[in-house]
């Protein structure tokens, strides 16, 4: 019984206009708008963080791919140099007879 009376009292107090132009429902509505704005602002901040993280990961992947490509090219150059070195084992300008495999 006391709880019901207290609930009615608070309901009446919140429903009555206080001093000033704003009622309790106006205050609640403005507070709800503030919370909604804060929520949306947090969503925007999180989206910005996600995009920055995605951009960084793409840059890291690009750098990794570029490094792998450079290593592949370096290995290919080394293999080519080794193959040329083997082909010049007899000395430059020396022609092999036909049918003799080099090396």
């Amino acid at each position: 019984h006391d709880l019901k009376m207290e609930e009615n009292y608070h309901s009446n107090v919140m429903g009555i206009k206080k001093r000033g132009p704003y009622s309790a429902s106006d205050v609640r509505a403005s507070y709800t708008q503030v919370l909604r704005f804060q929520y949306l602002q947090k969503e925007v901040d999180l989206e910005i963080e996600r995009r920055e993280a995605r951009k960084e990961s793409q840059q890291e992947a690009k750098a990794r791919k570029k490094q792998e490509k450079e290593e592949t090219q370096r290995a290919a150059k080394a293999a080519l140099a080794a193959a040329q070195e083997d082909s010049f084992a007899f000395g430059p300008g020396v022609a092999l007879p036909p049918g003799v495999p080099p090396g």
Side-chain angles (χ1 to χ4, degrees):
H1 184 272
D2 289 335
L3 290 176
K4 187 65 175 170
M5 286 177 58
E6 188 175 343
E7 180 185 352
N8 288 338
Y9 170 75
H10 286 295
S11 176
N12 287 336
V13 168
M14 291 301 286
I16 296 173
K17 281 197 172 195
K18 300 283 183 181
R19 283 183 231 129
Y22 301 108
S23 68
S25 63
D26 293 336
V27 172
R28 276 194 298 264
S30 62
Y31 183 67
T32 302
Q33 286 178 337
V34 168
L35 290 177
R36 188 174 293 136
F37 173 77
Q38 289 174 345
Y39 175 79
L40 292 174
Q41 184 65 41
K42 187 67 174 174
E43 284 287 317
V44 169
D45 292 343
L46 289 173
E47 181 62 26
I48 289 171
E49 289 177 15
R50 280 192 289 264
R51 288 183 184 190
E52 287 175 351
R54 189 179 316 131
K55 194 176 197 178
E56 287 176 1
S57 67
Q58 286 175 347
Q59 288 175 347
E60 289 173 1
K62 247 185 203 178
R64 201 173 323 121
K65 193 179 283 188
K66 184 178 179 181
Q67 185 179 6
E68 289 173 359
K69 185 177 180 181
E70 288 174 355
E71 288 174 1
T72 304
Q73 287 177 348
R74 200 174 307 123
K77 284 182 182 179
L80 183 61
Q84 286 178 349
E85 189 176 300
D86 286 344
S87 68
F88 288 122
F90 294 106
V94 175
L96 293 177
V100 176

